[in-house]
């Protein structure tokens, strides 16, 4: 009786499935686009958990992204999935430039994937110092707004474009500076942000989310309330 190598057969189906995916545009996360029922159910479990965390807001984006990436390994060409992964990176991860690829892919797959796709792509370019591309996306986003929406957005977009123009000038006029890490009391594994320095530069005041804050309560299993540190 002939023995069947399950690993080889599984690898074969994954290879065929990957080729199928790569040859398509915006692939829906539907049952027919997965190689078998078990893989589809696993993908849907991760997708539902990812959406559950995503809908809770920014503080849960890291958890959402973990589940989204499990689905992404099976389908890299779903516009909404690329968009949501991009949002998680842009708003929660330090490497903002990594969001660009996901937003660009989402836009190419479906230019109407989200109403703010051009804006968030502009933000990703902006924060990655790709100022020309950022300005182009900001202007494209603004040109597509209704009159009512333009009233709300025009000031924000204008300010961001000014920031890009100023950033371009600053990059052309560089300074020779030394950057020094101020130590683990300030640069921690927790979120440390919004620093202010007093006039004689003897004191720094900043915001952080870390375990020793006043009150000691948390609003998710691994996220602490903010406190002010000096």
């Amino acid at each position: 009786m002939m023995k069947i190598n399950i690993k080889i057969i599984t690898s074969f189906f994954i290879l065929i499935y990957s080729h199928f995916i790569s040859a398509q545009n915006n692939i829906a996360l539907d049952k027919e686009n997965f190689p078998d029922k078990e893989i589809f159910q696993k993908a849907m479990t991760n997708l539902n958990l990812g959406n559950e965390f995503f809908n809770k807001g920014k503080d849960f984006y890291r958890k959402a992204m973990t589940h989204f990436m499990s689905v992404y390994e099976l389908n890299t060409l779903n516009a909404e999935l690329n968009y949501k992964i991009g949002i998680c990176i842009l708003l929660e991860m330090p490497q903002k430039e990594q969001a660009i690829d996901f937003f660009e892919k989402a836009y190419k797959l479906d230019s109407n994937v989200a109403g703010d796709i051009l804006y968030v792509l502009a933000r990703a370019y902006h924060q990655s110092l790709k100022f020309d591309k950022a300005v182009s996306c900001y202007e494209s986003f603004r040109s597509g707004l209704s009159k009512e929406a333009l009233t709300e957005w025009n000031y924000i977009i204008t300010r961001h474009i000014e920031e890009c123009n100023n950033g371009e000038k600053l990059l052309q006029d560089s300074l020779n500076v030394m950057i020094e890490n101020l130590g683990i009391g300030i640069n921690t594994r927790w979120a440390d942000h919004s620093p202010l320095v007093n006039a004689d530069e003897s004191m720094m005041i900043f915001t952080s989310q870390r375990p020793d804050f006043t009150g000691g309560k948390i609003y998710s299993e691994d996220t602490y309330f903010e406190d002010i540190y000096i």
Side-chain angles (χ1 to χ4, degrees):
M1 186 174 181
M2 184 176 64
K3 294 182 178 180
I4 299 175
N5 191 318
I6 299 299
K7 289 185 178 180
I8 292 177
I9 292 177
T10 301
S11 298
F12 172 76
F13 278 111
I14 290 176
L15 179 63
I16 294 298
Y17 175 62
S18 298
H19 175 74
F20 171 75
I21 287 291
S22 64
Q24 304 297 312
N25 294 320
N26 194 18
I27 305 298
L29 298 173
D30 294 333
K31 186 175 181 179
E32 58 267 24
N33 292 326
F34 287 84
D36 62 45
K37 182 179 179 180
E38 183 178 348
I39 292 177
F40 172 71
Q41 289 178 339
K42 182 179 178 181
M44 290 302 99
T45 297
N46 277 300
L47 182 64
N48 291 335
L49 286 170
N51 283 329
E52 182 179 332
F53 285 122
F54 186 86
N55 292 334
K56 288 183 177 180
K58 178 178 177 294
D59 295 316
F60 296 86
Y61 282 172
R62 287 179 181 269
K63 290 185 176 181
M65 185 174 170
T66 299
H67 293 289
F68 286 150
M69 291 306 296
S70 294
V71 184
Y72 187 79
E73 291 176 358
L74 299 170
N75 184 346
T76 64
L77 298 180
N78 179 267
E80 183 178 356
L81 184 61
N82 275 277
Y83 168 79
K84 288 182 176 179
I85 292 173
I87 291 292
C88 291
I89 295 173
L90 180 66
L91 297 184
E92 188 61 18
M93 306 300 177
Q95 297 82 14
K96 308 300 184 185
E97 67 277 2
Q98 293 180 6
I100 292 174
D101 288 342
F102 291 99
F103 286 142
E104 286 181 340
K105 186 181 288 186
Y107 185 72
K108 289 177 181 177
L109 292 169
D110 180 4
S111 60
N112 296 313
V113 61
D116 65 347
I117 180 61
L118 285 173
Y119 176 74
V120 294
L121 178 55
R123 296 299 295 152
Y125 283 139
H126 188 160
Q127 295 186 44
S128 302
L129 308 185
K130 300 179 185 296
F131 296 124
D132 289 343
K133 290 184 176 181
V135 170
S136 178
C137 283
Y138 282 135
E139 291 177 341
S140 295
F141 173 71
R142 180 163 58 184
S143 68
L145 293 173
S146 65
K147 290 184 178 180
E148 293 77 10
L150 187 60
T151 302
E152 176 185 353
W153 279 97
N154 190 52
Y155 171 77
I156 297 172
I157 299 302
T158 299
R159 185 185 65 189
H160 285 328
I161 290 175
E162 289 176 354
E163 291 169 351
C164 287
N165 292 334
N166 291 334
E168 195 68 57
K169 293 176 182 177
L170 290 172
L171 287 180
Q172 294 172 4
D173 186 20
S174 61
L175 297 174
N176 184 20
V177 300
M178 179 178 293
I179 298 175
E180 180 180 354
N181 190 316
L182 296 180
I184 61 173
I186 294 178
N187 294 310
T188 68
R189 63 181 289 262
W190 312 104
D192 307 311
H193 60 91
S194 307
L196 295 172
V197 179
N198 66 344
D200 65 2
E201 300 184 351
S202 64
M203 180 186 297
M204 175 183 287
I205 303 171
F206 63 98
T207 302
S208 184
Q209 294 173 290
R210 54 178 74 177
D212 62 348
F213 72 100
T214 303
K217 296 182 180 180
I218 60 176
Y219 58 92
S220 74
E221 63 184 60
D222 61 355
T223 305
Y224 299 92
F225 282 98
E226 293 180 337
D227 213 341
I228 296 175
Y229 292 78
I230 298 174

